[in-house]
mmCIF file with all atom_site columns, all heavy atoms in Angstrom:
data_model
loop_
_atom_site.group_PDB
_atom_site.id
_atom_site.type_symbol
_atom_site.label_atom_id
_atom_site.label_alt_id
_atom_site.label_comp_id
_atom_site.label_asym_id
_atom_site.label_entity_id
_atom_site.label_seq_id
_atom_site.pdbx_PDB_ins_code
_atom_site.Cartn_x
_atom_site.Cartn_y
_atom_site.Cartn_z
_atom_site.occupancy
_atom_site.B_iso_or_equiv
_atom_site.pdbx_formal_charge
_atom_site.auth_seq_id
_atom_site.auth_comp_id
_atom_site.auth_asym_id
_atom_site.auth_atom_id
_atom_site.pdbx_PDB_model_num
ATOM 1   N N   . THR V 1 1  ? 17.112 1.384   -7.103  1.00 95.00 ? 1  THR V N   1
ATOM 2   C CA  . THR V 1 1  ? 16.841 0.085   -6.475  1.00 95.00 ? 1  THR V CA  1
ATOM 3   C C   . THR V 1 1  ? 17.133 -1.041  -7.456  1.00 95.00 ? 1  THR V C   1
ATOM 4   O O   . THR V 1 1  ? 16.739 -1.032  -8.611  1.00 95.00 ? 1  THR V O   1
ATOM 5   C CB  . THR V 1 1  ? 15.379 -0.016  -6.031  1.00 95.00 ? 1  THR V CB  1
ATOM 6   O OG1 . THR V 1 1  ? 15.106 1.008   -5.073  1.00 95.00 ? 1  THR V OG1 1
ATOM 7   C CG2 . THR V 1 1  ? 15.074 -1.373  -5.395  1.00 95.00 ? 1  THR V CG2 1
ATOM 8   N N   . MET V 1 2  ? 17.870 -2.028  -6.934  1.00 92.00 ? 2  MET V N   1
ATOM 9   C CA  . MET V 1 2  ? 18.216 -3.207  -7.747  1.00 92.00 ? 2  MET V CA  1
ATOM 10  C C   . MET V 1 2  ? 17.550 -4.425  -7.109  1.00 92.00 ? 2  MET V C   1
ATOM 11  O O   . MET V 1 2  ? 17.680 -4.670  -5.922  1.00 92.00 ? 2  MET V O   1
ATOM 12  C CB  . MET V 1 2  ? 19.722 -3.436  -7.782  1.00 92.00 ? 2  MET V CB  1
ATOM 13  C CG  . MET V 1 2  ? 20.165 -4.700  -8.485  1.00 92.00 ? 2  MET V CG  1
ATOM 14  S SD  . MET V 1 2  ? 21.972 -4.936  -8.488  1.00 92.00 ? 2  MET V SD  1
ATOM 15  C CE  . MET V 1 2  ? 22.436 -3.776  -9.760  1.00 92.00 ? 2  MET V CE  1
ATOM 16  N N   . PHE V 1 3  ? 16.796 -5.159  -7.910  1.00 90.00 ? 3  PHE V N   1
ATOM 17  C CA  . PHE V 1 3  ? 16.144 -6.383  -7.475  1.00 90.00 ? 3  PHE V CA  1
ATOM 18  C C   . PHE V 1 3  ? 16.980 -7.583  -7.934  1.00 90.00 ? 3  PHE V C   1
ATOM 19  O O   . PHE V 1 3  ? 17.538 -7.570  -9.019  1.00 90.00 ? 3  PHE V O   1
ATOM 20  C CB  . PHE V 1 3  ? 14.737 -6.507  -8.041  1.00 90.00 ? 3  PHE V CB  1
ATOM 21  C CG  . PHE V 1 3  ? 13.761 -5.521  -7.486  1.00 90.00 ? 3  PHE V CG  1
ATOM 22  C CD1 . PHE V 1 3  ? 13.516 -4.322  -8.143  1.00 90.00 ? 3  PHE V CD1 1
ATOM 23  C CD2 . PHE V 1 3  ? 13.097 -5.765  -6.300  1.00 90.00 ? 3  PHE V CD2 1
ATOM 24  C CE1 . PHE V 1 3  ? 12.617 -3.395  -7.637  1.00 90.00 ? 3  PHE V CE1 1
ATOM 25  C CE2 . PHE V 1 3  ? 12.187 -4.866  -5.775  1.00 90.00 ? 3  PHE V CE2 1
ATOM 26  C CZ  . PHE V 1 3  ? 11.953 -3.663  -6.451  1.00 90.00 ? 3  PHE V CZ  1
ATOM 27  N N   . LYS V 1 4  ? 17.052 -8.609  -7.055  1.00 86.00 ? 4  LYS V N   1
ATOM 28  C CA  . LYS V 1 4  ? 17.766 -9.809  -7.437  1.00 86.00 ? 4  LYS V CA  1
ATOM 29  C C   . LYS V 1 4  ? 17.005 -10.505 -8.539  1.00 86.00 ? 4  LYS V C   1
ATOM 30  O O   . LYS V 1 4  ? 15.847 -10.828 -8.420  1.00 86.00 ? 4  LYS V O   1
ATOM 31  C CB  . LYS V 1 4  ? 17.919 -10.732 -6.230  1.00 86.00 ? 4  LYS V CB  1
ATOM 32  C CG  . LYS V 1 4  ? 18.670 -12.023 -6.534  1.00 86.00 ? 4  LYS V CG  1
ATOM 33  C CD  . LYS V 1 4  ? 18.742 -12.897 -5.302  1.00 86.00 ? 4  LYS V CD  1
ATOM 34  C CE  . LYS V 1 4  ? 19.404 -14.254 -5.621  1.00 86.00 ? 4  LYS V CE  1
ATOM 35  N NZ  . LYS V 1 4  ? 19.410 -15.150 -4.468  1.00 86.00 ? 4  LYS V NZ  1
ATOM 36  N N   . SER V 1 5  ? 17.715 -10.767 -9.645  1.00 81.00 ? 5  SER V N   1
ATOM 37  C CA  . SER V 1 5  ? 17.112 -11.454 -10.761 1.00 81.00 ? 5  SER V CA  1
ATOM 38  C C   . SER V 1 5  ? 16.629 -12.836 -10.380 1.00 81.00 ? 5  SER V C   1
ATOM 39  O O   . SER V 1 5  ? 17.267 -13.553 -9.605  1.00 81.00 ? 5  SER V O   1
ATOM 40  C CB  . SER V 1 5  ? 18.108 -11.561 -11.915 1.00 81.00 ? 5  SER V CB  1
ATOM 41  O OG  . SER V 1 5  ? 17.570 -12.326 -12.985 1.00 81.00 ? 5  SER V OG  1
ATOM 42  N N   . GLN V 1 6  ? 15.493 -13.240 -10.924 1.00 72.00 ? 6  GLN V N   1
ATOM 43  C CA  . GLN V 1 6  ? 14.964 -14.575 -10.678 1.00 72.00 ? 6  GLN V CA  1
ATOM 44  C C   . GLN V 1 6  ? 15.481 -15.584 -11.680 1.00 72.00 ? 6  GLN V C   1
ATOM 45  O O   . GLN V 1 6  ? 15.057 -16.756 -11.667 1.00 72.00 ? 6  GLN V O   1
ATOM 46  C CB  . GLN V 1 6  ? 13.436 -14.534 -10.718 1.00 72.00 ? 6  GLN V CB  1
ATOM 47  C CG  . GLN V 1 6  ? 12.840 -13.635 -9.644  1.00 72.00 ? 6  GLN V CG  1
ATOM 48  C CD  . GLN V 1 6  ? 13.282 -14.017 -8.256  1.00 72.00 ? 6  GLN V CD  1
ATOM 49  O OE1 . GLN V 1 6  ? 13.006 -15.101 -7.776  1.00 72.00 ? 6  GLN V OE1 1
ATOM 50  N NE2 . GLN V 1 6  ? 14.009 -13.102 -7.597  1.00 72.00 ? 6  GLN V NE2 1
ATOM 51  N N   . ARG V 1 7  ? 16.376 -15.164 -12.556 1.00 71.00 ? 7  ARG V N   1
ATOM 52  C CA  . ARG V 1 7  ? 16.907 -16.094 -13.550 1.00 71.00 ? 7  ARG V CA  1
ATOM 53  C C   . ARG V 1 7  ? 17.878 -17.079 -12.907 1.00 71.00 ? 7  ARG V C   1
ATOM 54  O O   . ARG V 1 7  ? 18.542 -16.750 -11.939 1.00 71.00 ? 7  ARG V O   1
ATOM 55  C CB  . ARG V 1 7  ? 17.603 -15.322 -14.665 1.00 71.00 ? 7  ARG V CB  1
ATOM 56  C CG  . ARG V 1 7  ? 16.635 -14.518 -15.512 1.00 71.00 ? 7  ARG V CG  1
ATOM 57  C CD  . ARG V 1 7  ? 17.367 -13.715 -16.564 1.00 71.00 ? 7  ARG V CD  1
ATOM 58  N NE  . ARG V 1 7  ? 16.459 -12.730 -17.144 1.00 71.00 ? 7  ARG V NE  1
ATOM 59  C CZ  . ARG V 1 7  ? 16.805 -11.576 -17.636 1.00 71.00 ? 7  ARG V CZ  1
ATOM 60  N NH1 . ARG V 1 7  ? 18.091 -11.240 -17.634 1.00 71.00 ? 7  ARG V NH1 1
ATOM 61  N NH2 . ARG V 1 7  ? 15.937 -10.738 -18.160 1.00 71.00 ? 7  ARG V NH2 1
ATOM 62  N N   . PRO V 1 8  ? 18.027 -18.272 -13.455 1.00 72.00 ? 8  PRO V N   1
ATOM 63  C CA  . PRO V 1 8  ? 18.957 -19.270 -12.919 1.00 72.00 ? 8  PRO V CA  1
ATOM 64  C C   . PRO V 1 8  ? 20.372 -18.734 -12.904 1.00 72.00 ? 8  PRO V C   1
ATOM 65  O O   . PRO V 1 8  ? 20.788 -18.003 -13.820 1.00 72.00 ? 8  PRO V O   1
ATOM 66  C CB  . PRO V 1 8  ? 18.829 -20.469 -13.885 1.00 72.00 ? 8  PRO V CB  1
ATOM 67  C CG  . PRO V 1 8  ? 17.469 -20.296 -14.529 1.00 72.00 ? 8  PRO V CG  1
ATOM 68  C CD  . PRO V 1 8  ? 17.249 -18.800 -14.603 1.00 72.00 ? 8  PRO V CD  1
ATOM 69  N N   . GLY V 1 9  ? 21.098 -19.063 -11.851 1.00 72.00 ? 9  GLY V N   1
ATOM 70  C CA  . GLY V 1 9  ? 22.496 -18.662 -11.767 1.00 72.00 ? 9  GLY V CA  1
ATOM 71  C C   . GLY V 1 9  ? 22.761 -17.380 -11.015 1.00 72.00 ? 9  GLY V C   1
ATOM 72  O O   . GLY V 1 9  ? 23.900 -17.044 -10.701 1.00 72.00 ? 9  GLY V O   1
ATOM 73  N N   . MET V 1 10 ? 21.673 -16.635 -10.673 1.00 76.00 ? 10 MET V N   1
ATOM 74  C CA  . MET V 1 10 ? 21.860 -15.404 -9.909  1.00 76.00 ? 10 MET V CA  1
ATOM 75  C C   . MET V 1 10 ? 21.866 -15.723 -8.422  1.00 76.00 ? 10 MET V C   1
ATOM 76  O O   . MET V 1 10 ? 20.848 -15.829 -7.775  1.00 76.00 ? 10 MET V O   1
ATOM 77  C CB  . MET V 1 10 ? 20.730 -14.410 -10.244 1.00 76.00 ? 10 MET V CB  1
ATOM 78  C CG  . MET V 1 10 ? 20.834 -13.095 -9.429  1.00 76.00 ? 10 MET V CG  1
ATOM 79  S SD  . MET V 1 10 ? 22.425 -12.253 -9.572  1.00 76.00 ? 10 MET V SD  1
ATOM 80  C CE  . MET V 1 10 ? 22.362 -11.701 -11.297 1.00 76.00 ? 10 MET V CE  1
ATOM 81  N N   . THR V 1 11 ? 23.070 -15.878 -7.888  1.00 73.00 ? 11 THR V N   1
ATOM 82  C CA  . THR V 1 11 ? 23.231 -16.198 -6.471  1.00 73.00 ? 11 THR V CA  1
ATOM 83  C C   . THR V 1 11 ? 23.290 -14.918 -5.663  1.00 73.00 ? 11 THR V C   1
ATOM 84  O O   . THR V 1 11 ? 23.425 -13.819 -6.207  1.00 73.00 ? 11 THR V O   1
ATOM 85  C CB  . THR V 1 11 ? 24.521 -16.979 -6.265  1.00 73.00 ? 11 THR V CB  1
ATOM 86  O OG1 . THR V 1 11 ? 25.639 -16.135 -6.613  1.00 73.00 ? 11 THR V OG1 1
ATOM 87  C CG2 . THR V 1 11 ? 24.578 -18.237 -7.127  1.00 73.00 ? 11 THR V CG2 1
ATOM 88  N N   . ASP V 1 12 ? 23.240 -15.074 -4.339  1.00 73.00 ? 12 ASP V N   1
ATOM 89  C CA  . ASP V 1 12 ? 23.360 -13.898 -3.467  1.00 73.00 ? 12 ASP V CA  1
ATOM 90  C C   . ASP V 1 12 ? 24.707 -13.228 -3.657  1.00 73.00 ? 12 ASP V C   1
ATOM 91  O O   . ASP V 1 12 ? 24.826 -11.995 -3.677  1.00 73.00 ? 12 ASP V O   1
ATOM 92  C CB  . ASP V 1 12 ? 23.183 -14.295 -2.014  1.00 73.00 ? 12 ASP V CB  1
ATOM 93  C CG  . ASP V 1 12 ? 21.723 -14.607 -1.688  1.00 73.00 ? 12 ASP V CG  1
ATOM 94  O OD1 . ASP V 1 12 ? 20.812 -14.227 -2.455  1.00 73.00 ? 12 ASP V OD1 1
ATOM 95  O OD2 . ASP V 1 12 ? 21.453 -15.209 -0.607  1.00 73.00 ? 12 ASP V OD2 1
ATOM 96  N N   . ALA V 1 13 ? 25.766 -14.017 -3.796  1.00 66.00 ? 13 ALA V N   1
ATOM 97  C CA  . ALA V 1 13 ? 27.104 -13.458 -3.954  1.00 66.00 ? 13 ALA V CA  1
ATOM 98  C C   . ALA V 1 13 ? 27.198 -12.650 -5.240  1.00 66.00 ? 13 ALA V C   1
ATOM 99  O O   . ALA V 1 13 ? 27.793 -11.548 -5.278  1.00 66.00 ? 13 ALA V O   1
ATOM 100 C CB  . ALA V 1 13 ? 28.143 -14.559 -3.940  1.00 66.00 ? 13 ALA V CB  1
ATOM 101 N N   . LEU V 1 14 ? 26.653 -13.200 -6.322  1.00 72.00 ? 14 LEU V N   1
ATOM 102 C CA  . LEU V 1 14 ? 26.683 -12.499 -7.609  1.00 72.00 ? 14 LEU V CA  1
ATOM 103 C C   . LEU V 1 14 ? 25.821 -11.248 -7.563  1.00 72.00 ? 14 LEU V C   1
ATOM 104 O O   . LEU V 1 14 ? 26.201 -10.188 -8.109  1.00 72.00 ? 14 LEU V O   1
ATOM 105 C CB  . LEU V 1 14 ? 26.197 -13.442 -8.712  1.00 72.00 ? 14 LEU V CB  1
ATOM 106 C CG  . LEU V 1 14 ? 26.357 -12.957 -10.155 1.00 72.00 ? 14 LEU V CG  1
ATOM 107 C CD1 . LEU V 1 14 ? 27.790 -12.607 -10.447 1.00 72.00 ? 14 LEU V CD1 1
ATOM 108 C CD2 . LEU V 1 14 ? 25.854 -14.008 -11.130 1.00 72.00 ? 14 LEU V CD2 1
ATOM 109 N N   . PHE V 1 15 ? 24.682 -11.335 -6.895  1.00 79.00 ? 15 PHE V N   1
ATOM 110 C CA  . PHE V 1 15 ? 23.828 -10.142 -6.723  1.00 79.00 ? 15 PHE V CA  1
ATOM 111 C C   . PHE V 1 15 ? 24.549 -9.054  -6.000  1.00 79.00 ? 15 PHE V C   1
ATOM 112 O O   . PHE V 1 15 ? 24.525 -7.857  -6.383  1.00 79.00 ? 15 PHE V O   1
ATOM 113 C CB  . PHE V 1 15 ? 22.548 -10.539 -5.993  1.00 79.00 ? 15 PHE V CB  1
ATOM 114 C CG  . PHE V 1 15 ? 21.677 -9.381  -5.642  1.00 79.00 ? 15 PHE V CG  1
ATOM 115 C CD1 . PHE V 1 15 ? 20.963 -8.694  -6.630  1.00 79.00 ? 15 PHE V CD1 1
ATOM 116 C CD2 . PHE V 1 15 ? 21.545 -8.970  -4.322  1.00 79.00 ? 15 PHE V CD2 1
ATOM 117 C CE1 . PHE V 1 15 ? 20.135 -7.614  -6.294  1.00 79.00 ? 15 PHE V CE1 1
ATOM 118 C CE2 . PHE V 1 15 ? 20.721 -7.893  -3.976  1.00 79.00 ? 15 PHE V CE2 1
ATOM 119 C CZ  . PHE V 1 15 ? 20.036 -7.220  -4.978  1.00 79.00 ? 15 PHE V CZ  1
ATOM 120 N N   . GLU V 1 16 ? 25.237 -9.395  -4.907  1.00 76.00 ? 16 GLU V N   1
ATOM 121 C CA  . GLU V 1 16 ? 25.984 -8.387  -4.146  1.00 76.00 ? 16 GLU V CA  1
ATOM 122 C C   . GLU V 1 16 ? 27.126 -7.782  -4.985  1.00 76.00 ? 16 GLU V C   1
ATOM 123 O O   . GLU V 1 16 ? 27.413 -6.605  -4.856  1.00 76.00 ? 16 GLU V O   1
ATOM 124 C CB  . GLU V 1 16 ? 26.540 -9.000  -2.850  1.00 76.00 ? 16 GLU V CB  1
ATOM 125 C CG  . GLU V 1 16 ? 25.468 -9.348  -1.826  1.00 76.00 ? 16 GLU V CG  1
ATOM 126 C CD  . GLU V 1 16 ? 24.713 -8.125  -1.363  1.00 76.00 ? 16 GLU V CD  1
ATOM 127 O OE1 . GLU V 1 16 ? 25.326 -7.048  -1.237  1.00 76.00 ? 16 GLU V OE1 1
ATOM 128 O OE2 . GLU V 1 16 ? 23.482 -8.231  -1.145  1.00 76.00 ? 16 GLU V OE2 1
ATOM 129 N N   . MET V 1 17 ? 27.747 -8.599  -5.826  1.00 73.00 ? 17 MET V N   1
ATOM 130 C CA  . MET V 1 17 ? 28.803 -8.105  -6.674  1.00 73.00 ? 17 MET V CA  1
ATOM 131 C C   . MET V 1 17 ? 28.235 -7.073  -7.668  1.00 73.00 ? 17 MET V C   1
ATOM 132 O O   . MET V 1 17 ? 28.813 -6.021  -7.910  1.00 73.00 ? 17 MET V O   1
ATOM 133 C CB  . MET V 1 17 ? 29.486 -9.239  -7.441  1.00 73.00 ? 17 MET V CB  1
ATOM 134 C CG  . MET V 1 17 ? 30.638 -8.799  -8.337  1.00 73.00 ? 17 MET V CG  1
ATOM 135 S SD  . MET V 1 17 ? 31.526 -10.198 -9.079  1.00 73.00 ? 17 MET V SD  1
ATOM 136 C CE  . MET V 1 17 ? 30.246 -10.878 -10.151 1.00 73.00 ? 17 MET V CE  1
ATOM 137 N N   . HIS V 1 18 ? 27.058 -7.387  -8.238  1.00 80.00 ? 18 HIS V N   1
ATOM 138 C CA  . HIS V 1 18 ? 26.407 -6.467  -9.164  1.00 80.00 ? 18 HIS V CA  1
ATOM 139 C C   . HIS V 1 18 ? 25.996 -5.183  -8.428  1.00 80.00 ? 18 HIS V C   1
ATOM 140 O O   . HIS V 1 18 ? 26.118 -4.074  -8.975  1.00 80.00 ? 18 HIS V O   1
ATOM 141 C CB  . HIS V 1 18 ? 25.173 -7.120  -9.781  1.00 80.00 ? 18 HIS V CB  1
ATOM 142 C CG  . HIS V 1 18 ? 25.512 -8.147  -10.812 1.00 80.00 ? 18 HIS V CG  1
ATOM 143 N ND1 . HIS V 1 18 ? 24.565 -8.922  -11.445 1.00 80.00 ? 18 HIS V ND1 1
ATOM 144 C CD2 . HIS V 1 18 ? 26.697 -8.560  -11.311 1.00 80.00 ? 18 HIS V CD2 1
ATOM 145 C CE1 . HIS V 1 18 ? 25.156 -9.758  -12.292 1.00 80.00 ? 18 HIS V CE1 1
ATOM 146 N NE2 . HIS V 1 18 ? 26.421 -9.539  -12.221 1.00 80.00 ? 18 HIS V NE2 1
ATOM 147 N N   . TYR V 1 19 ? 25.536 -5.335  -7.192  1.00 83.00 ? 19 TYR V N   1
ATOM 148 C CA  . TYR V 1 19 ? 25.124 -4.144  -6.441  1.00 83.00 ? 19 TYR V CA  1
ATOM 149 C C   . TYR V 1 19 ? 26.330 -3.260  -6.141  1.00 83.00 ? 19 TYR V C   1
ATOM 150 O O   . TYR V 1 19 ? 26.213 -2.016  -6.237  1.00 83.00 ? 19 TYR V O   1
ATOM 151 C CB  . TYR V 1 19 ? 24.417 -4.554  -5.134  1.00 83.00 ? 19 TYR V CB  1
ATOM 152 C CG  . TYR V 1 19 ? 24.015 -3.360  -4.314  1.00 83.00 ? 19 TYR V CG  1
ATOM 153 C CD1 . TYR V 1 19 ? 23.047 -2.448  -4.784  1.00 83.00 ? 19 TYR V CD1 1
ATOM 154 C CD2 . TYR V 1 19 ? 24.590 -3.109  -3.063  1.00 83.00 ? 19 TYR V CD2 1
ATOM 155 C CE1 . TYR V 1 19 ? 22.680 -1.357  -4.030  1.00 83.00 ? 19 TYR V CE1 1
ATOM 156 C CE2 . TYR V 1 19 ? 24.219 -2.012  -2.319  1.00 83.00 ? 19 TYR V CE2 1
ATOM 157 C CZ  . TYR V 1 19 ? 23.262 -1.128  -2.796  1.00 83.00 ? 19 TYR V CZ  1
ATOM 158 O OH  . TYR V 1 19 ? 22.901 -0.042  -2.050  1.00 83.00 ? 19 TYR V OH  1
ATOM 159 N N   . ARG V 1 20 ? 27.441 -3.830  -5.808  1.00 78.00 ? 20 ARG V N   1
ATOM 160 C CA  . ARG V 1 20 ? 28.649 -3.020  -5.577  1.00 78.00 ? 20 ARG V CA  1
ATOM 161 C C   . ARG V 1 20 ? 29.019 -2.246  -6.841  1.00 78.00 ? 20 ARG V C   1
ATOM 162 O O   . ARG V 1 20 ? 29.461 -1.098  -6.788  1.00 78.00 ? 20 ARG V O   1
ATOM 163 C CB  . ARG V 1 20 ? 29.814 -3.886  -5.122  1.00 78.00 ? 20 ARG V CB  1
ATOM 164 C CG  . ARG V 1 20 ? 29.745 -4.276  -3.664  1.00 78.00 ? 20 ARG V CG  1
ATOM 165 C CD  . ARG V 1 20 ? 31.015 -4.999  -3.226  1.00 78.00 ? 20 ARG V CD  1
ATOM 166 N NE  . ARG V 1 20 ? 30.968 -5.302  -1.800  1.00 78.00 ? 20 ARG V NE  1
ATOM 167 C CZ  . ARG V 1 20 ? 31.370 -4.481  -0.858  1.00 78.00 ? 20 ARG V CZ  1
ATOM 168 N NH1 . ARG V 1 20 ? 31.845 -3.285  -1.179  1.00 78.00 ? 20 ARG V NH1 1
ATOM 169 N NH2 . ARG V 1 20 ? 31.291 -4.819  0.419   1.00 78.00 ? 20 ARG V NH2 1
ATOM 170 N N   . GLY V 1 21 ? 28.837 -2.898  -8.017  1.00 81.00 ? 21 GLY V N   1
ATOM 171 C CA  . GLY V 1 21 ? 29.092 -2.212  -9.259  1.00 81.00 ? 21 GLY V CA  1
ATOM 172 C C   . GLY V 1 21 ? 28.160 -1.028  -9.446  1.00 81.00 ? 21 GLY V C   1
ATOM 173 O O   . GLY V 1 21 ? 28.564 0.048   -9.895  1.00 81.00 ? 21 GLY V O   1
ATOM 174 N N   . LEU V 1 22 ? 26.886 -1.249  -9.101  1.00 87.00 ? 22 LEU V N   1
ATOM 175 C CA  . LEU V 1 22 ? 25.915 -0.148  -9.202  1.00 87.00 ? 22 LEU V CA  1
ATOM 176 C C   . LEU V 1 22 ? 26.287 0.990   -8.289  1.00 87.00 ? 22 LEU V C   1
ATOM 177 O O   . LEU V 1 22 ? 26.216 2.168   -8.679  1.00 87.00 ? 22 LEU V O   1
ATOM 178 C CB  . LEU V 1 22 ? 24.512 -0.676  -8.830  1.00 87.00 ? 22 LEU V CB  1
ATOM 179 C CG  . LEU V 1 22 ? 23.417 0.407   -8.667  1.00 87.00 ? 22 LEU V CG  1
ATOM 180 C CD1 . LEU V 1 22 ? 23.152 1.096   -10.000 1.00 87.00 ? 22 LEU V CD1 1
ATOM 181 C CD2 . LEU V 1 22 ? 22.149 -0.203  -8.115  1.00 87.00 ? 22 LEU V CD2 1
ATOM 182 N N   . VAL V 1 23 ? 26.718 0.690   -7.070  1.00 86.00 ? 23 VAL V N   1
ATOM 183 C CA  . VAL V 1 23 ? 27.111 1.748   -6.123  1.00 86.00 ? 23 VAL V CA  1
ATOM 184 C C   . VAL V 1 23 ? 28.274 2.577   -6.675  1.00 86.00 ? 23 VAL V C   1
ATOM 185 O O   . VAL V 1 23 ? 28.283 3.799   -6.583  1.00 86.00 ? 23 VAL V O   1
ATOM 186 C CB  . VAL V 1 23 ? 27.496 1.120   -4.751  1.00 86.00 ? 23 VAL V CB  1
ATOM 187 C CG1 . VAL V 1 23 ? 28.127 2.168   -3.839  1.00 86.00 ? 23 VAL V CG1 1
ATOM 188 C CG2 . VAL V 1 23 ? 26.265 0.517   -4.105  1.00 86.00 ? 23 VAL V CG2 1
ATOM 189 N N   . ARG V 1 24 ? 29.246 1.903   -7.305  1.00 83.00 ? 24 ARG V N   1
ATOM 190 C CA  . ARG V 1 24 ? 30.373 2.638   -7.902  1.00 83.00 ? 24 ARG V CA  1
ATOM 191 C C   . ARG V 1 24 ? 29.870 3.587   -9.014  1.00 83.00 ? 24 ARG V C   1
ATOM 192 O O   . ARG V 1 24 ? 30.291 4.732   -9.123  1.00 83.00 ? 24 ARG V O   1
ATOM 193 C CB  . ARG V 1 24 ? 31.418 1.667   -8.466  1.00 83.00 ? 24 ARG V CB  1
ATOM 194 C CG  . ARG V 1 24 ? 32.219 0.980   -7.405  1.00 83.00 ? 24 ARG V CG  1
ATOM 195 C CD  . ARG V 1 24 ? 33.421 0.294   -8.025  1.00 83.00 ? 24 ARG V CD  1
ATOM 196 N NE  . ARG V 1 24 ? 33.056 -0.705  -9.015  1.00 83.00 ? 24 ARG V NE  1
ATOM 197 C CZ  . ARG V 1 24 ? 32.817 -1.975  -8.712  1.00 83.00 ? 24 ARG V CZ  1
ATOM 198 N NH1 . ARG V 1 24 ? 32.901 -2.380  -7.459  1.00 83.00 ? 24 ARG V NH1 1
ATOM 199 N NH2 . ARG V 1 24 ? 32.497 -2.822  -9.659  1.00 83.00 ? 24 ARG V NH2 1
#
């Protein structure tokens, strides 16, 4: 499970990009 970081700059688009990386 990946949670969206609460740090500044973590947008939904960036979160989804990181999640795709995790899936790979």
Side-chain angles (χ1 to χ4, degrees):
T1 299
M2 174 181 284
F3 291 95
K4 181 181 175 183
S5 173
Q6 298 305 296
R7 292 178 193 151
M10 178 54 69
T11 64
D12 285 345
L14 189 55
F15 173 71
E16 290 299 324
M17 181 174 67
H18 286 177
Y19 178 64
R20 281 187 176 273
L22 171 65
V23 171
R24 287 194 299 272

